[in-house]
Amino acid sequence: MKTIEVTGLTKDYGNGKGIFDVSFSVDKGEVVGFLGANGAGKTSTIRHLMGFSKPESGKASIMGKDCFKDASLIQENIGYLPGEIAFMDNMTGHEFIKFMADMKKIKDSSMADRLIKYLELDTSVRIKKMSKGMKQKLGIVIAFMQDAPILILDEPTSGLDPLMQNKFVELIKKSKENGKTILMSSHIFEEVENTCDRIVMIKNGKIVADRDLEIIRNDRNKHYEIIFAEKNDAEIFKKRYPESKIDENRIIMTGKDDINRVIKDISEYKIEDITIRHQTLEEVFMKYYGGEK
Ligand SMILES: Nc1ncnc2c1ncn2[C@@H]1O[C@H](COP(=O)(O)OP(=O)(O)OP(=O)(O)O)[C@@H](O)[C@H]1O
């Protein structure tokens, strides 16, 4: 049995909006990044997983339980961070954490205390006076405080500064070490690359990719950017590598060509600058986005 399973999930909002025949699964202990541009269907899928929306067809289940039929069981037991957090504005952070802990029947507050300290969150502030980042931290504390074995996080780093984003990445890594199963939506490739085992990508409500990151890493092309001293040399080089792109005396090419051969070929010319690197995950996935992010 898969820990999280979505099968043929469909919800048509009209005008081509919604999610259509979405299927993917997450195994126990796996960390899966759910990537997609704005409006791609990440939140809609997650809301079905949390039992807030009724599928038009298809099914979402967690630990074999139907997410809609067993919504209260799911909501009580999953560590969940919503994309748009609706807080009780008049409460302080502390009061709200206590309120949620009571609702989720959490007796031990030590995990919440550790998270508050780790994220440097001042919980004495009233929620209506909190910045976006503070509210996001509060949401993270609530999602993680029950030490749930399954976490569903909708754009968890939205509103966090780079330092806190890094701390969040560490939190995910630690949670993975502790055997948690995590589904995390994002449009930030880097954070997904740093934390996830697998990527599921959604575009216009449909799944367009589902790949292990290890396979993607091993399969990445090399990216070359070469600046020739002479424009003429760049043109000659371009003829040897017809797939490359040329802009004045600059050649950009991506491919699996033997690096030794490329370096040997380059060495025949006077070069001003050269960069050789692996493709980023974003570059690999750009084809699925079709140019739009
Ligand atoms: N209840 C609804 N009624 C009508 N349209 C909806 C509803 N919920 C979502 N949509 C539309 O469905 C599409 C998918 O929205 P969703 O919120 O799932 O996207 P997302 O991938 O989470 O985007 P973002 O990154 O912007 O949060 C959007 O075009 C959205 O406007």
Side-chain angles (χ1 to χ4, degrees):
M1 184 182 60
K2 301 282 181 190
T3 300
I4 297 175
E5 187 144 38
V6 178
T7 328
L9 193 66
T10 300
K11 180 78 142 230
D12 191 343
Y13 296 120
N15 294 326
K17 311 258 188 239
I19 47 174
F20 307 96
D21 199 20
V22 167
S23 298
F24 65 91
S25 61
V26 185
D27 278 323
K28 185 173 187 300
E30 217 184 359
V31 181
V32 171
F34 193 31
L35 272 175
N38 289 132
K42 303 179 296 294
T43 300
S44 302
T45 307
I46 286 177
R47 287 183 58 77
H48 281 86
L49 276 167
M50 289 308 298
F52 299 128
S53 292
K54 186 171 186 221
E56 210 167 285
S57 60
K59 191 177 164 184
S61 59
I62 297 180
M63 298 290 289
K65 300 274 178 218
D66 184 298
C67 295
F68 190 71
K69 288 186 190 136
D70 289 309
S72 49
L73 190 74
I74 300 280
Q75 286 159 20
E76 209 172 285
N77 289 293
I78 306 285
Y80 170 56
L81 176 72
E84 297 277 323
I85 314 173
F87 290 126
M88 312 271 195
D89 264 7
N90 274 323
M91 286 188 182
T92 64
H94 178 76
E95 284 163 354
F96 190 63
I97 290 169
K98 173 90 179 46
F99 171 80
M100 289 303 289
D102 288 346
M103 221 167 75
K104 292 199 155 210
K105 304 187 182 85
I106 303 168
K107 301 222 161 45
D108 181 4
S109 68
S110 61
M111 183 78 173
D113 295 339
R114 278 206 300 280
L115 286 160
I116 291 163
K117 204 163 160 212
Y118 179 67
L119 297 172
E120 299 165 35
L121 174 63
D122 181 355
T123 54
S124 66
V125 178
R126 275 196 200 288
I127 294 175
K128 64 178 167 203
K129 298 226 163 123
M130 285 187 177
S131 68
K132 181 162 172 23
M134 285 173 85
K135 285 185 193 166
Q136 193 68 10
K137 288 180 189 181
L138 185 56
I140 294 172
V141 171
I142 289 162
F144 282 79
M145 71 180 174
Q146 77 194 97
D147 209 11
I150 303 168
L151 290 151
I152 296 184
L153 312 169
D154 197 355
E155 300 200 12
T157 57
S158 139
L160 297 184
D161 64 35
L163 181 76
M164 281 302 149
Q165 286 183 15
N166 287 339
K167 283 199 153 196
F168 176 79
V169 167
E170 290 309 312
L171 184 63
I172 294 288
K173 285 185 178 162
K174 193 97 208 132
S175 306
K176 183 177 162 51
E177 274 170 33
N178 292 334
K180 309 284 183 202
T181 304
I182 304 175
L183 177 69
M184 175 172 114
S185 85
S186 178
H187 39 227
I188 308 173
F189 281 86
E190 215 181 302
E191 102 189 352
V192 166
E193 193 169 7
N194 285 332
T195 48
C196 296
D197 303 313
R198 191 151 52 84
I199 284 182
V200 173
M201 179 169 270
I202 188 163
K203 184 185 176 188
N204 299 331
K206 295 187 182 121
I207 302 295
V208 289
D210 185 340
R211 301 271 157 86
D212 276 347
L213 256 181
E214 197 53 34
I215 294 173
I216 299 168
R217 275 198 197 99
N218 295 334
D219 204 34
R220 274 179 306 181
N221 289 326
K222 291 239 166 26
H223 180 99
Y224 300 85
E225 185 168 349
I226 314 150
I227 300 174
F228 291 78
E230 305 293 335
K231 191 176 158 203
N232 193 36
D233 285 348
E235 282 161 2
I236 296 167
F237 189 87
K238 161 85 180 148
K239 291 202 179 94
R240 294 172 83 166
Y241 290 89
E243 300 292 303
S244 64
K245 291 197 182 82
I246 185 164
D247 175 19
E248 298 285 316
N249 59 337
R250 179 194 306 260
I251 288 278
I252 292 179
M253 59 181 201
T254 349
K256 286 207 167 41
D257 305 88
D258 173 16
I259 187 161
N260 290 303
R261 190 189 125 217
V262 177
I263 290 170
K264 193 159 163 284
D265 288 350
I266 293 169
S267 70
E268 291 173 24
Y269 308 95
K270 192 162 186 282
I271 301 297
E272 263 179 17
D273 201 2
I274 180 165
T275 316
I276 306 174
R277 59 172 173 82
H278 275 118
Q279 271 185 305
T280 61
L281 186 64
E282 183 162 1
E283 285 163 345
V284 173
F285 272 94
M286 223 47 198
K287 63 177 177 201
Y288 299 112
Y289 268 149
E292 16 157 333
K293 247 191 96 178

